[in-house]
Amino acid sequence: MKRMQIGLIGCGTVGEGVARILMEQKELIKNRLGMELILKKVADTDTTKKRSVTFDKGVFTTDASEILNDPDIDVVVEMVGGTGFARKAILQALDSGKHVVTANKKLLALEGNTLFAKAARNSVTIAYEASVGGCMPVIKTLRENLVANHISAMTGILNGTCNYILSEITRLGLSFDEALSQAQQKGFAEADPTLDIEGFDAAHKLAIISAIAYGMEIDFEGVYVEGISRIEPLDILYADQFGYRIKLLAISKNHEDAIEARVHPAMIPVDSLLSQVGGSVNALSIFGDCTGEMMLYGHGAGMMPTASAVVADLADIARDIKREDGGRLPALGYPASNIRRIPVLPISEIRTHYYFRISAADQPGVLSKVSGVLARYNISIMSVHQKERHASDAVPLVFMTHKAKEADVRQALAEIRALPEIGSDPVLIRIEDPGTNGRDESQNKTGQPSASCL
């Protein structure tokens, strides 16, 4: 029976899970593949951590070069993360003719084009299923299962930390800081949660899957990114009254000559499938011309779900080695010669519905001033709500709009903020309906324009 020898660099949370699966499920994997996967070496600098696996003598090392320089190791599993040492290790592995498995979405989003090209030149594979969606087979679905489909759009919840925070604000009425603290206590958020709550983690993933879906180069710099730190319980309350939930969405739409790629908080109808995705779970809705809408759902992070995806990549590489036909599947699903440069639309060019919350002085004529500004920028109001003032003299004015151009919205809000009656920066949340797949809608959810105000 053939054997594939594996070197694991990084034995933190996910790395430990990979080692557990390879050791505990050894017989199951061997029976399914007809090939034995051998964990030959594990490298990590932390020798004090208590792990749930016990390695045989000589397997664990603190020196990753023992893996990278070992000619008998076929595959390097990189579980270090980041763009420093991980990049160097992957490049050295590729230059040594070793296949690589990684979950490093940040590195792939920033340098995937270069790394994939090097892998192709060296006739080895970079497998990265675990980089997007944890145990959800997002990469495999886009590259293989939907190969006959023209993908028109993708909308997803791709960060469990943000989804947990927004779910808890919705469920319990917590403040953002309270929900974040709770997420950190439960292990759903890092001590420094910036990458998650500011939207960058989801943007890394969106850049990768947009490239696969549309046959384009990875373009992380083109992705518009906005986080959830400005979302308040008041916005959650208004969203609920209007029949929406607020989620951090990763949105990608194919306009043929350009694409939209954006990550930001958005209101989505309560009856949509994505609005029901709570806690730290991820989901991705994909629109194919043959399949229609389909949705993947599952744990986007965590030791065993992510490790399961890593081992699935190892299994694919093992099957290629067994058949001696490695490189069966191009890294981004298209031959390199068919990968195009497709421009990403700037956020200023998108058109969608909007929610504005404006803190205004409780004075006659303020509403007419604000409405006048919106009208000058061709922003049509669908509804406006005014609540009674609370502790301060300011009252919240809430507007829901028909579709408008982002550039016009930004200019209008800047002019509104300059009015002497406005007390703070307006809150803007875009409104999306994943089920419409980008179709234009000129009416609200009930089919008629509404006005509930004053």
Side-chain angles (χ1 to χ4, degrees):
M1 180 178 288
K2 282 193 173 184
R3 308 168 75 195
M4 185 176 82
Q5 302 205 69
I6 300 163
L8 171 63
I9 301 178
C11 196
T13 300
V14 177
E16 180 182 339
V18 172
R20 276 183 58 184
I21 292 176
L22 290 174
M23 296 168 70
E24 295 174 1
Q25 308 283 49
K26 184 176 181 178
E27 290 302 312
L28 172 66
I29 295 170
K30 182 170 69 173
N31 290 335
R32 283 185 165 168
L33 298 181
M35 186 173 183
E36 192 171 6
L37 304 191
I38 305 297
L39 184 58
K40 184 178 183 185
K41 211 76 169 175
V42 177
D44 197 288
T45 56
D46 188 350
T47 59
T48 61
K49 178 183 176 181
K50 292 184 178 180
R51 297 180 172 88
S52 58
V53 290
T54 302
F55 300 111
D56 292 338
K57 185 177 180 180
V59 171
F60 189 88
T61 179
T62 58
D63 186 1
S65 66
E66 293 184 27
I67 292 173
L68 296 169
N69 296 329
D70 186 339
D72 294 328
I73 287 179
D74 303 295
V75 186
V76 172
V77 179
E78 181 275 307
M79 292 288 114
V80 178
T83 58
F85 173 78
R87 177 181 180 276
K88 294 178 181 178
I90 289 175
L91 287 172
Q92 185 175 340
L94 297 176
D95 284 333
S96 299
K98 302 182 189 301
H99 303 286
V100 171
V101 176
T102 182
N104 196 334
K105 84 278 293 185
K106 181 177 181 179
L107 179 61
L108 293 179
L110 297 178
E111 300 197 47
N113 297 319
T114 299
L115 295 175
F116 292 146
K118 177 178 278 288
R121 288 195 300 271
N122 293 341
S123 300
V124 291
T125 297
I126 299 178
Y128 55 100
E129 183 66 62
S131 67
V132 181
C135 66
M136 297 192 304
V138 175
I139 307 299
K140 184 177 287 290
T141 297
L142 288 171
R143 290 198 304 183
E144 300 185 53
N145 300 83
L146 297 179
V147 67
N149 283 257
H150 176 92
I151 307 299
S152 60
M154 298 179 290
T155 303
I157 295 168
L158 297 180
N159 185 270
T161 299
C162 289
N163 202 45
Y164 177 84
I165 289 171
L166 292 174
S167 296
E168 291 304 284
I169 295 174
T170 301
R171 188 173 69 91
L172 300 175
L174 302 178
S175 69
F176 175 84
D177 289 339
E178 290 170 335
L180 172 58
S181 177
Q182 184 170 295
Q184 290 170 323
Q185 292 170 15
K186 293 192 174 185
F188 296 138
E190 302 288 342
D192 180 2
T194 304
L195 277 178
D196 292 318
I197 65 174
E198 296 304 333
F200 294 107
D201 175 77
H204 292 144
K205 298 169 185 175
L206 185 66
I208 294 169
I209 63 174
S210 294
I212 300 170
Y214 312 132
M216 61 183 286
E217 294 179 344
I218 298 172
D219 184 3
F220 172 71
E221 295 301 323
V223 180
Y224 174 78
V225 188
E226 184 180 312
I228 65 170
S229 57
R230 291 197 67 201
I231 301 298
E232 298 182 8
L234 185 60
D235 300 310
I236 300 282
L237 176 63
Y238 279 125
D240 183 65
Q241 291 176 355
F242 297 142
Y244 293 96
R245 295 280 184 272
I246 297 178
K247 298 289 186 181
L248 182 77
L249 290 189
I251 300 167
S252 179
K253 297 180 182 180
N254 186 1
H255 298 288
E256 301 301 338
D257 57 343
I259 69 161
E260 288 181 36
R262 47 194 171 98
V263 172
H264 54 70
M267 291 185 179
I268 55 177
V270 294
D271 56 0
S272 69
L273 289 173
L274 283 175
S275 75
Q276 308 303 316
V277 178
S280 60
V281 174
N282 284 196
L284 179 68
S285 180
I286 306 170
F287 296 87
D289 59 348
C290 298
T291 61
E293 182 183 10
M294 63 174 293
M295 191 169 84
L296 301 172
Y297 173 97
H299 291 287
M303 175 189 286
M304 301 310 287
T306 308
S308 175
V310 171
V311 176
D313 276 340
L314 287 169
D316 282 346
I317 292 173
R319 288 181 173 122
D320 285 346
I321 290 175
K322 185 179 179 182
R323 289 194 304 268
E324 298 182 349
D325 61 353
R328 173 183 64 88
L329 191 65
L332 292 175
Y334 286 72
S337 58
N338 292 340
I339 297 291
R340 300 173 293 158
R341 287 189 177 183
I342 303 177
V344 180
L345 286 175
I347 191 68
S348 59
E349 294 299 310
I350 73 157
R351 293 180 60 85
T352 190
H353 299 268
Y354 292 88
Y355 158 102
F356 310 138
R357 177 168 56 83
I358 298 167
S359 180
D362 189 12
Q363 298 174 8
V366 174
L367 180 57
S368 63
K369 282 187 177 182
V370 173
S371 300
V373 173
L374 295 176
R376 283 200 299 276
Y377 287 94
N378 300 310
I379 300 168
S380 177
I381 299 170
M382 183 170 12
S383 66
V384 55
H385 294 243
Q386 177 179 321
K387 292 290 187 181
E388 70 280 0
R389 67 172 180 265
H390 296 284
S392 69
D393 290 333
V395 295
L397 295 176
V398 173
F399 296 83
M400 307 284 279
T401 80
H402 292 289
K403 278 199 170 181
K405 188 176 180 180
E406 178 94 9
D408 294 334
V409 167
R410 295 293 184 101
Q411 292 179 20
L413 290 185
E415 191 169 319
I416 289 169
R417 177 64 185 92
L419 295 173
E421 296 89 350
I422 304 304
S424 60
D425 288 338
V427 172
L428 175 156
I429 301 176
R430 298 163 193 88
I431 302 172
E432 300 286 334
D433 187 348
T436 66
N437 188 20
R439 294 191 300 271
D440 195 6
E441 293 185 329
S442 59
Q443 294 179 322
N444 65 3
K445 295 173 60 187
T446 65
Q448 298 293 332
S450 62
S452 172
C453 57
L454 306 181

